[in-house]
Amino acid sequence: MIIKIKVEVMDGSGIVAQTEIICQTPTETHVSISSITHHPSSYAFSNKKEIDVAVAIPKGARADWMIEKLCEIGVRSVFPLESRFSKSNGVVITHGKTNRWERLIIESTKQSMRNIPMKINETTHLSSLLSLLRHDTSLYSSCFFGDPAGLRFNTLTNSTEQQQQQQTQQQTQQQTQQQ
């Protein structure tokens, strides 16, 4: 059967081909490629800054919804965080959940006209991520944190050694004031 339908085909790495379906059988589809272009960043968001989100993954369907919406708004990658706010300590993202998220990402990528799907990184601790950001400032030019406890950024980024030094200084000051 001869068909003349234009289709945009992408490979997930930024290569987009404009094609036309010219023939289709029950087992095969033949296309004619009219052009191939390479978009290094997401098609619909190419003029925007790339965004990476680190977040404690919520329970159940809320996690699926979050992954879908983050992809739709143009987030480049997600860093699932292990924290006291995670659904359980030592949270493990199962193979089934990863597969479901990959399907959601593909659907959201198509819906939002992106040509590079969002990436899900390995689960990490907030302290490990902060340490990485502190030692390699070239990774991200801006970092913003939302903390349910209302901690300020400098409190979040202080290393354990700095916190211990501050506690020692406070104790010394208190002892001096008591004398």
Side-chain angles (χ1 to χ4, degrees):
M1 176 187 322
I2 297 177
I3 301 174
K4 296 279 186 176
I5 297 175
K6 294 186 187 281
V7 178
E8 187 174 79
V9 180
M10 61 188 106
D11 71 349
S13 69
I15 296 175
V16 179
Q18 300 299 324
T19 67
E20 185 174 36
I21 298 174
I22 54 174
C23 182
Q24 186 175 21
T25 69
T27 58
E28 293 181 335
T29 299
H30 297 268
V31 298
S32 170
I33 299 173
S34 59
S35 69
I36 297 176
T37 56
H38 183 266
H39 300 279
S41 63
S42 197
Y43 184 79
F45 304 99
S46 58
N47 62 345
K48 306 287 185 195
K49 291 191 178 235
E50 293 182 329
I51 301 169
D52 299 292
V53 174
V55 62
I57 301 297
K59 293 180 183 178
R62 291 186 299 164
D64 295 348
W65 180 87
M66 182 186 72
I67 294 296
E68 181 181 349
K69 297 306 170 194
L70 288 174
C71 183
E72 287 174 5
I73 65 170
V75 169
R76 177 177 56 178
S77 66
V78 172
F79 291 87
L81 292 178
E82 243 181 81
S83 74
R84 65 178 185 221
F85 300 104
S86 298
K87 79 176 189 177
S88 64
N89 287 337
V91 69
V92 176
I93 298 174
T94 64
H95 184 65
K97 186 178 286 190
T98 303
N99 287 342
R100 186 170 62 251
W101 286 353
E102 286 174 4
R103 287 191 307 273
L104 286 171
I105 289 169
I106 290 169
E107 291 170 13
S108 298
T109 298
K110 290 177 185 177
Q111 181 178 353
S112 59
M113 296 175 48
R114 294 175 63 158
N115 59 13
I116 299 175
M118 183 176 72
K119 178 183 175 191
I120 303 285
N121 295 292
E122 294 292 321
T123 302
T124 185
H125 288 279
L126 178 60
S127 58
S128 300
L129 184 61
L130 291 174
S131 177
L132 174 69
L133 293 173
R134 202 172 18 257
H135 290 94
D136 189 354
T137 56
S138 67
L139 289 176
Y140 301 97
S141 60
S142 300
C143 295
F144 301 94
F145 293 91
D147 181 62
L151 298 176
R152 294 192 326 226
F153 177 73
N154 62 351
T155 305
L156 285 171
T157 57
N158 283 345
S159 69
T160 306
E161 293 172 7
Q162 290 171 330
Q163 288 174 354
Q164 289 173 348
Q165 288 174 355
Q166 288 175 353
Q167 287 175 353
T168 304
Q169 288 173 353
Q170 288 173 354
Q171 288 172 353
T172 304
Q173 288 174 355
Q174 288 174 353
Q175 289 173 354
T176 305
Q177 289 173 355
Q178 290 175 353
Q179 294 174 355

